[in-house]
Amino acid sequence: MPGWGRLSRQVGRVADDVLLASVRGNTDSELAFTLFLTHLASGPDGDPPVEELAAAMTATARQITGWHREEGETRPLEMNFCVTTGAALVAMRFAVSDEPCPTLYWRETGGAADRRAVCVASEPLSEEPVWQAVANGEILLVGTNLEVDRRSLEFV
């Protein structure tokens, strides 16, 4: 993401103090994840439901995009996010750019219920035609039942 220094200052103003104190690196991904955790409504007890993960991810992307626009930034803004609790997964592909943005793909594996899985990757991991692209401005929700729900981001 462009403007890492500005992003760091912006996240520092809104992020939870305890989460901010745990930041050890200096990457935009770590800052974005800190902002995501700040937006996550669940406390430490149990895994948050997929809808809550999606809401926090959407709020994070919306906030970063808002800062990008407020700064009058002209460089591309590209974000692929993926988070999982081990039981639920949310992935997003989003870019403000005239250039093709990074890709994100997903596929479902078939078979018996105890062998089903959903895989998310930045590029298809095989030549099989089972891989589906996540469109720019789309969020992918995978619940505990492995049902896949694709939605347009609310702020695009």
Side-chain angles (χ1 to χ4, degrees):
M1 277 180 250
W4 182 90
R6 287 192 307 261
L7 178 63
S8 179
R9 288 188 296 277
Q10 296 283 20
V11 170
R13 284 196 274 275
V14 299
D16 177 88
D17 289 339
V18 172
L19 293 171
L20 205 52
S22 68
V23 173
R24 298 287 180 250
N26 61 359
T27 66
D28 56 359
S29 297
E30 190 169 11
L31 291 170
F33 188 63
T34 300
L35 188 59
F36 167 81
L37 291 175
T38 298
H39 286 297
L40 199 57
S42 281
D45 299 332
D47 290 336
V50 70
E51 292 290 341
E52 194 173 310
L53 293 172
M57 185 175 289
T58 300
T60 300
R62 179 184 296 123
Q63 194 155 34
I64 291 171
T65 301
W67 291 332
H68 185 79
R69 289 180 178 145
E70 286 170 10
E71 293 289 332
E73 186 63 65
T74 58
R75 291 176 287 179
L77 174 64
E78 301 169 340
M79 297 183 274
N80 276 358
F81 284 114
C82 185
V83 295
T84 183
T85 62
L89 176 142
V90 178
M92 177 200 74
R93 177 178 174 221
F94 179 72
V96 177
S97 174
D98 293 332
E99 301 295 319
C101 66
T103 56
L104 192 62
Y105 290 86
W106 71 280
R107 73 163 288 184
E108 217 173 341
T109 61
D114 63 337
R115 297 206 180 257
R116 286 184 59 227
V118 175
C119 180
V120 176
S122 59
E123 296 294 332
L125 300 177
S126 69
E127 297 294 323
E128 297 173 274
V130 295
W131 290 92
Q132 298 181 51
V134 176
N136 184 17
E138 187 173 58
I139 189 166
L140 187 76
L141 289 75
V142 182
T144 55
N145 60 0
L146 295 181
E147 292 299 317
V148 177
D149 183 13
R150 298 168 71 168
R151 301 178 186 171
S152 292
L153 289 167
E154 301 162 4
F155 65 94
V156 176

